[in-house]
């Protein structure tokens, strides 16, 4: 009995071992692992147990791999639908190897990153599209636009084609927005110009201030209404508008250095028949001049800079020849001299730079660059020549003036240096007056001019004329300084102190005829 049971158990174990070995071989093949090898000698019971344990372990691995494969396939399907890309090629009926699972996981991770980046790009573009549509007051009118703006963001297909279409839509809207902004800005510029020409008061301008920014459809409509209103007002104030344009024309003429002939060439400027046709001619001319100035603005600004430097140079030259400049206080003279020296260096350099730029411009445009009706360098040369002639004329005038002054001094004597002090002698100093009156002039010759003793002043002789009887001359007695001079005497003293440069009249002075 015992032997029969043992035989039966042995048969079952052998059978189980065989079944387990077969299944184990199959699992090793499916899982792509090495076949199971029993280590060392063991009993049938232990072998059966080891084989059964190994089979269960491999079954579990197979199940886990199949589950992971299914999960990865589901994720791949979801991502591929959103990204509109083909599914990952994998055999779902077989058990994937560890390497295949690793590659599949990497693929799914890449899809997730692609989805995240495309979603971020989609959200940013969508936000810009919505802003542009609001700015343009545009309602989505296509299925794609509605899908972008109205549908759920998670439902939008993030394919490369959709992203490209999305970018194209954004460019179109931005272009329309830019065009609308340009139109609005042009309307605003037109409004400002009409405001200035029509001299619209500030209160009336403030009423339209709300539409002077932005480019929405309602803003554009309001701007167009204001332009239409001002245009109608312009027609009613034709003369006023044309005169305002003429002021602007004159400013551009000055900025472009137009000569008188060039200004007179625009005959409508001088017309007095204020019609719509005349206004159109003025508008066309102001547009032409504005474009001409903007095209050559850099050159005109350079010429303007030279003009300002030239005027400053002439001003310094005038101050340098003014003697009163030495009486200045606070170091202004030193400062002016430094500026003058600096200007003498920079002015020729500026002329050379302008000359080179103008020559380049003339080669490019095949015509002469004209300033005040003549070539710029000719104009500069004329200014320098006029400055030289003016300096020469001033020098000759100074020489002639000095010559006349020398001749006058030789003939009449030099003018008193401090006449105010001589005239200012007080009447209470009779002693000094008498001292001057009693001075005897000597070395006089007949028919000769007598030089004044004090700064060219000629005094009358204090000696009385000879009496008719031929007796000795009577010397006028001097009064004491203690006495107060009489009014009559004071008048005589005052007369003796008057300053003049005339020759003494014929008087008898110590027997000589003067």
């Amino acid at each position: 009995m015992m032997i029969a049971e043992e035989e039966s158990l042995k048969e079952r174990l052998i059978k189980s071992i065989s079944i387990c070995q077969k299944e184990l071989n199959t699992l090793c093949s499916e899982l792509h692992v090495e076949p199971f090898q029993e280590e060392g000698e063991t009993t049938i019971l232990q072998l059966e147990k080891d084989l059964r344990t190994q089979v269960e372990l491999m079954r579990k691995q197979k199940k886990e791999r199949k589950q992971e494969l299914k999960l990865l396939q589901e994720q791949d399907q979801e991502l591929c639908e959103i990204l509109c890309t083909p599914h990952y090629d994998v055999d779902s009926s077989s058990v994937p190897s560890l390497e295949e699972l690793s590659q599949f996981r990497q693929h799914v991770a890449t899809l997730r990153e692609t989805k995240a980046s495309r979603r971020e790009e989609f959200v940013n573009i969508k936000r810009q599209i919505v802003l542009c549509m609001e700015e343009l007051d545009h309602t989505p009118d296509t299925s794609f636009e509605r899908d972008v703006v109205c549908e759920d963001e998670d439902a939008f297909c993030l394919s490369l084609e959709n992203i490209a279409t999305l970018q194209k839509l954004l460019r179109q809207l931005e272009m329309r927005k830019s065009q609308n902004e340009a139109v609005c800005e042009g309307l605003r510029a037109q409004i400002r110009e009409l405001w200035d020409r029509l001299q619209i008061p500030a209160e009336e301008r403030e009423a339209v201030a709300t539409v002077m920014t932005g480019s929405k459809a309602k803003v554009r409509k309001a701007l167009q209404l204001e332009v239409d209103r001002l245009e109608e007002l312009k027609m009613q104030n034709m003369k006023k508008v044309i005169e305002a344009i003429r002021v602007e024309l004159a400013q551009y003429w000055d900025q472009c250095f137009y000569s008188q002939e060039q200004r007179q060439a625009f005959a409508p400027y001088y017309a007095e028949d204020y019609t719509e046709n005349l206004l159109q001619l003025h508008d066309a001319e102001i547009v032409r001049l504005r474009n001409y100035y903007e095209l050559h603005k850099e050159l005109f600004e350079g010429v303007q800079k030279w003009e300002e430097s030239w005027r400053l140079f002439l001003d310094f030259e005038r101050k340098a020849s003014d003697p009163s400049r030495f009486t200045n206080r606070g170091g202004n003279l030193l400062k002016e001299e430094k500026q003058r020296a600096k200007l003498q260096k920079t002015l020729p350099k500026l002329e050379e730079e302008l000359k080179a730029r103008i020559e380049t411009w003339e080669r490019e445009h095949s015509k002469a660059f004209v300033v005040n009706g003549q070539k710029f360098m000719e104009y500069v040369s004329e200014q320098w020549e006029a400055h030289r002639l003016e300096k020469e004329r001033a020098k000759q005038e100074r020489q002639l003036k000095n010559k006349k002054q020398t001749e006058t001094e030789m003939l009449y004597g030099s003018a008193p240096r401090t006449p105010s002090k001589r005239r200012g002698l007080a009447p209470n100093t009779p002693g000094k007056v008498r001292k001057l009156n009693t001075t005897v002039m000597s070395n006089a010759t007949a028919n000769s001019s007598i030089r004044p003793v004090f700064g060219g002043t000629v005094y009358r002789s204090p000696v009385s004329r000879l009496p008719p009887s031929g007796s000795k001359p009577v010397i006028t007695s001097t009064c004491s300084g203690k006495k107060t001079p009489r009014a009559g005497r004071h008048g005589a003293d005052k007369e003796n102190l008057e300053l003049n440069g005339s020759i003494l009249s014929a008087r008898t002075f110590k027997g000589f005829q003067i």
Side-chain angles (χ1 to χ4, degrees), residues 9-10 12-21 38 42-55:
L9 177 61
K10 182 179 178 181
R12 287 197 304 270
L13 290 174
I14 293 173
K15 185 178 180 180
S16 176
I17 289 172
S18 177
I19 294 172
C20 288
Q21 284 179 340
E38 184 68 25
T42 180
T43 62
I44 296 176
L45 183 62
Q46 185 63 38
L47 178 60
E48 191 273 339
K49 181 180 179 182
D50 291 343
L51 289 174
R52 188 160 32 83
T53 303
Q54 190 67 24
V55 167

Side-chain angles (χ1 to χ4, degrees), residues 220-232:
R220 178 177 176 177
K221 190 178 297 184
L223 290 172
Q224 187 62 55
L225 290 174
E226 178 66 8
V227 169
D228 295 340
R229 184 185 74 83
L230 293 173
E231 285 289 345
E232 185 178 354

Side-chain angles (χ1 to χ4, degrees), residues 327-489:
T327 62
N328 81 95
R329 302 289 180 111
N332 291 333
L333 181 60
L334 179 60
K335 183 178 180 181
E336 288 180 2
E337 283 300 320
K338 288 183 178 179
Q339 292 177 344
R340 181 167 173 261
K342 180 180 179 181
L343 198 58
Q344 285 177 334
K345 295 180 181 179
T346 57
L347 195 58
K349 186 182 297 184
L350 180 60
E351 292 173 5
E352 289 299 322
E353 292 177 358
L354 278 174
K355 180 181 178 182
R357 285 161 55 186
I358 289 173
E359 288 176 352
T360 303
W361 183 92
E362 290 178 341
R363 285 194 301 270
E364 292 175 353
H365 295 80
S366 300
K367 62 179 181 179
F369 183 80
V370 179
V371 173
N372 292 331
Q374 61 184 144
K375 290 186 175 181
F376 175 71
M377 294 313 299
E378 294 178 358
Y379 172 73
V380 170
S381 300
E382 284 190 4
Q383 297 299 313
W384 279 106
E385 181 64 17
H387 173 60
R388 187 189 67 79
L389 293 175
E390 178 64 21
K391 289 182 68 175
E392 186 67 25
R393 184 190 62 79
K395 180 180 178 181
Q396 292 176 358
E397 286 184 356
R398 288 195 302 271
Q399 291 176 348
L400 182 60
K401 182 178 179 181
N402 292 337
K403 182 178 178 182
K404 288 183 178 180
Q405 183 177 357
T406 303
E407 292 176 353
T408 303
E409 290 179 354
M410 290 178 65
L411 185 60
Y412 300 109
S414 60
R417 298 180 186 277
T418 55
S420 59
K421 293 182 179 179
R422 302 300 181 193
R423 294 177 184 273
L425 291 176
N428 59 354
T429 57
K432 292 183 179 180
V433 175
R434 281 194 293 275
K435 184 176 181 181
L436 292 174
N437 289 341
T438 55
T439 303
V440 179
M441 302 178 67
S442 60
N443 299 329
T445 57
N447 299 324
S448 64
S449 63
I450 299 179
R451 296 287 182 181
V453 179
F454 297 97
T457 305
V458 179
Y459 299 95
R460 288 188 173 87
S461 172
V463 183
S464 302
R465 293 185 177 89
L466 292 173
S469 61
S471 60
K472 294 181 179 180
V474 179
I475 305 300
T476 305
S477 61
T478 59
C479 299
S480 173
K482 296 180 181 180
K483 296 182 180 180
T484 303
R486 290 176 298 173
R489 182 61 183 173

Side-chain angles (χ1 to χ4, degrees), residues 26-38:
T26 303
L27 289 173
C28 288
S29 176
E30 290 177 345
L31 296 175
H32 304 282
V33 296
E34 294 293 332
F36 176 76
Q37 298 289 337
E38 184 68 25

Side-chain angles (χ1 to χ4, degrees), residues 253-264:
W253 283 343
D254 293 338
Q255 291 176 339
C256 296
F257 300 95
Y258 264 36
S259 64
Q260 192 61 33
E261 292 76 11
Q262 288 175 300
R263 300 179 188 218
Q264 291 176 352

Side-chain angles (χ1 to χ4, degrees), residues 147-159:
D147 289 342
V148 172
V149 178
C150 305
E151 298 297 330
D152 185 12
E153 293 181 355
D154 295 331
F156 184 77
C157 180
L158 299 176
S159 65

Side-chain angles (χ1 to χ4, degrees), residues 124-326:
N124 291 334
I125 295 176
K126 177 183 177 180
R127 182 171 61 252
Q128 296 178 56
I129 287 175
V130 171
L131 291 175
C132 287
M133 286 183 174
E134 290 178 355
E135 187 77 17
L136 295 170
D137 199 14
H138 173 76
T139 303
D141 52 4
T142 64
S143 59
F144 181 78
E145 291 179 1
R146 286 191 291 271
D147 289 342
V148 172
V149 178
C150 305
E151 298 297 330
D152 185 12
E153 293 181 355
D154 295 331
F156 184 77
C157 180
L158 299 176
S159 65
L160 291 175
E161 183 181 358
N162 282 356
I163 295 296
T165 307
L166 204 63
Q167 293 172 343
K168 182 179 178 180
L169 174 61
L170 178 60
R171 286 194 298 270
Q172 292 174 348
L173 293 174
E174 286 179 340
M175 185 178 297
R176 287 176 55 187
K177 180 182 175 182
S178 299
Q179 293 173 350
N180 202 47
E181 288 175 350
V183 171
C184 290
E185 192 57 38
L187 292 172
R188 291 188 190 98
Q190 193 174 353
I191 288 172
R192 295 188 190 97
E193 184 178 356
L194 289 170
W195 277 350
D196 295 336
R197 288 182 180 179
L198 297 172
Q199 298 180 359
I200 302 297
E203 300 79 17
E204 191 172 341
R205 299 185 186 192
E206 290 177 358
V208 197
T210 54
V211 296
M212 293 307 285
T213 55
S215 59
K216 291 186 177 181
K218 60 180 182 181
V219 172
R220 178 177 176 177
K221 190 178 297 184
L223 290 172
Q224 187 62 55
L225 290 174
E226 178 66 8
V227 169
D228 295 340
R229 184 185 74 83
L230 293 173
E231 285 289 345
E232 185 178 354
L233 192 61
K234 181 180 74 173
M235 297 300 297
Q236 299 172 2
N237 297 270
M238 191 70 66
K239 180 178 179 181
K240 187 177 179 182
V241 173
I242 292 177
E243 288 177 349
I245 298 177
R246 286 175 176 175
V247 171
E248 189 175 358
L249 271 175
Q251 293 174 352
Y252 275 110
W253 283 343
D254 293 338
Q255 291 176 339
C256 296
F257 300 95
Y258 264 36
S259 64
Q260 192 61 33
E261 292 76 11
Q262 288 175 300
R263 300 179 188 218
Q264 291 176 352
F266 183 63
Y269 184 85
Y270 307 95
E272 296 183 358
D273 186 15
Y274 300 99
T275 61
E276 175 66 20
N277 184 40
L278 185 65
L279 178 60
Q280 292 177 356
L281 292 174
H282 279 74
D283 281 334
E285 181 66 13
I286 198 68
V287 170
R288 186 190 70 82
L289 265 179
R290 188 181 293 124
N291 294 335
Y292 177 72
Y293 175 76
E294 291 298 329
L295 185 61
H296 312 304
K297 184 177 180 180
E298 187 176 351
L299 276 180
F300 288 132
E301 288 179 347
V303 175
Q304 181 67 30
K305 183 179 178 181
W306 182 89
E307 286 272 2
E308 294 173 356
S309 300
W310 178 250
R311 283 194 294 269
L312 187 60
F313 172 75
L314 294 180
D315 188 45
F316 284 148
E317 288 285 298
R318 178 184 57 79
K319 290 180 179 179
S321 60
D322 186 4
S324 64
R325 77 186 194 280
F326 294 108

